[in-house]
Tab-separated table of all heavy atoms in Angstrom:
chain	number	residue	atom	x	y	z
A	1039	TRP	N	477.039	118.246	114.111
A	1039	TRP	CA	475.883	117.352	114.008
A	1039	TRP	C	475.773	116.846	112.585
A	1039	TRP	O	475.513	115.652	112.359
A	1039	TRP	CB	474.610	118.053	114.430
A	1039	TRP	CG	474.365	117.992	115.885
A	1039	TRP	CD1	474.802	118.845	116.845
A	1039	TRP	CD2	473.578	117.015	116.575
A	1039	TRP	NE1	474.375	118.451	118.076
A	1039	TRP	CE2	473.617	117.338	117.972
A	1039	TRP	CE3	472.871	115.909	116.169
A	1039	TRP	CZ2	472.944	116.581	118.884
A	1039	TRP	CZ3	472.204	115.164	117.112
A	1039	TRP	CH2	472.251	115.494	118.450
A	1043	HIS	N	478.060	110.538	112.273
A	1043	HIS	CA	477.462	109.249	111.779
A	1043	HIS	C	477.982	108.173	112.725
A	1043	HIS	O	478.875	108.406	113.541
A	1043	HIS	CB	477.816	108.983	110.346
A	1043	HIS	CG	479.324	108.981	110.066
A	1043	HIS	ND1	480.055	110.085	109.939
A	1043	HIS	CD2	480.162	107.911	109.904
A	1043	HIS	CE1	481.312	109.735	109.701
A	1043	HIS	NE2	481.397	108.437	109.670
A	1045	ARG	N	480.158	105.264	113.561
A	1045	ARG	CA	481.389	104.728	113.044
A	1045	ARG	C	482.088	103.924	114.140
A	1045	ARG	O	482.314	104.396	115.265
A	1045	ARG	CB	482.306	105.886	112.610
A	1045	ARG	CG	483.653	105.491	112.058
A	1045	ARG	CD	484.469	106.705	111.629
A	1045	ARG	NE	484.725	107.606	112.722
A	1045	ARG	CZ	484.302	108.877	112.825
A	1045	ARG	NH1	483.593	109.403	111.843
A	1045	ARG	NH2	484.603	109.650	113.829
A	1069	LEU	N	476.250	107.232	122.766
A	1069	LEU	CA	476.430	106.413	123.976
A	1069	LEU	C	475.162	105.569	124.282
A	1069	LEU	O	475.304	104.410	124.722
A	1069	LEU	CB	476.779	107.266	125.169
A	1069	LEU	CG	478.174	107.905	125.117
A	1069	LEU	CD1	478.405	108.847	126.289
A	1069	LEU	CD2	479.244	106.858	125.052
A	1072	GLN	N	475.396	102.809	121.903
A	1072	GLN	CA	476.550	101.962	122.326
A	1072	GLN	C	476.100	100.960	123.368
A	1072	GLN	O	476.515	99.806	123.340
A	1072	GLN	CB	477.698	102.794	122.866
A	1072	GLN	CG	478.901	101.999	123.286
A	1072	GLN	CD	479.631	101.375	122.146
A	1072	GLN	OE1	480.271	102.062	121.393
A	1072	GLN	NE2	479.507	100.057	121.998
A	1082	THR	N	472.982	88.535	123.318
A	1082	THR	CA	472.023	88.104	122.287
A	1082	THR	C	472.705	87.283	121.200
A	1082	THR	O	472.177	86.241	120.750
A	1082	THR	CB	471.292	89.314	121.649
A	1082	THR	OG1	470.758	90.105	122.725
A	1082	THR	CG2	470.221	88.886	120.735
A	1083	ARG	N	473.797	87.734	120.740
A	1083	ARG	CA	474.482	87.112	119.591
A	1083	ARG	C	474.944	85.705	119.962
A	1083	ARG	O	475.454	85.455	121.034
A	1083	ARG	CB	475.687	87.976	119.240
A	1083	ARG	CG	476.507	87.513	118.097
A	1083	ARG	CD	477.555	88.526	117.772
A	1083	ARG	NE	478.489	88.699	118.880
A	1083	ARG	CZ	479.742	88.546	118.834
A	1083	ARG	NH1	480.350	88.221	117.695
A	1083	ARG	NH2	480.504	88.732	119.894
A	1091	GLU	N	485.839	87.858	124.993
A	1091	GLU	CA	486.162	87.575	123.609
A	1091	GLU	C	485.029	87.984	122.662
A	1091	GLU	O	485.262	88.325	121.530
A	1091	GLU	CB	486.445	86.066	123.442
A	1091	GLU	CG	487.717	85.618	124.051
A	1091	GLU	CD	487.863	84.108	124.066
A	1091	GLU	OE1	486.837	83.411	123.978
A	1091	GLU	OE2	488.985	83.640	124.166
A	1098	ARG	N	483.643	93.163	110.790
A	1098	ARG	CA	482.876	94.228	110.114
A	1098	ARG	C	481.403	93.830	109.993
A	1098	ARG	O	480.512	94.679	110.248
A	1098	ARG	CB	483.459	94.524	108.757
A	1098	ARG	CG	482.892	95.782	108.098
A	1098	ARG	CD	483.652	96.257	106.875
A	1098	ARG	NE	485.104	96.326	107.050
A	1098	ARG	CZ	485.740	97.361	107.671
A	1098	ARG	NH1	485.051	98.346	108.202
A	1098	ARG	NH2	487.055	97.354	107.766
A	1102	ARG	N	478.081	95.715	111.768
A	1102	ARG	CA	476.888	96.140	111.007
A	1102	ARG	C	475.630	95.585	111.633
A	1102	ARG	O	474.646	96.331	111.838
A	1102	ARG	CB	476.986	95.782	109.530
A	1102	ARG	CG	478.118	96.448	108.789
A	1102	ARG	CD	478.282	95.855	107.406
A	1102	ARG	NE	477.156	96.015	106.545
A	1102	ARG	CZ	476.942	97.063	105.741
A	1102	ARG	NH1	477.814	98.045	105.728
A	1102	ARG	NH2	475.876	97.108	104.994
A	1108	ALA	N	470.830	97.463	117.415
A	1108	ALA	CA	470.794	98.512	118.452
A	1108	ALA	C	469.842	99.631	118.027
A	1108	ALA	O	469.067	100.120	118.848
A	1108	ALA	CB	472.206	99.050	118.737
A	1116	ALA	N	461.330	103.426	121.851
A	1116	ALA	CA	460.798	104.801	121.815
A	1116	ALA	C	459.340	104.785	121.335
A	1116	ALA	O	458.535	105.624	121.755
A	1116	ALA	CB	461.641	105.635	120.853
A	1123	VAL	N	459.603	104.092	113.539
A	1123	VAL	CA	459.653	104.890	112.336
A	1123	VAL	C	461.126	105.093	111.966
A	1123	VAL	O	461.925	105.518	112.861
A	1123	VAL	CB	458.913	106.231	112.496
A	1123	VAL	CG1	459.083	107.083	111.231
A	1123	VAL	CG2	457.481	106.008	112.845
A	1124	VAL	N	461.518	104.807	110.773
A	1124	VAL	CA	462.845	105.023	110.304
A	1124	VAL	C	462.865	106.128	109.272
A	1124	VAL	O	462.048	106.098	108.328
A	1124	VAL	CB	463.411	103.711	109.705
A	1124	VAL	CG1	464.835	103.926	109.177
A	1124	VAL	CG2	463.378	102.552	110.652
Side-chain angles (χ1 to χ4, degrees):
W1039 274 87
H1043 58 281
R1045 181 178 60 242
L1069 291 176
Q1072 181 69 73
T1082 307
R1083 180 176 62 124
E1091 290 171 337
R1098 190 169 311 281
R1102 295 170 63 88
V1123 177
V1124 179

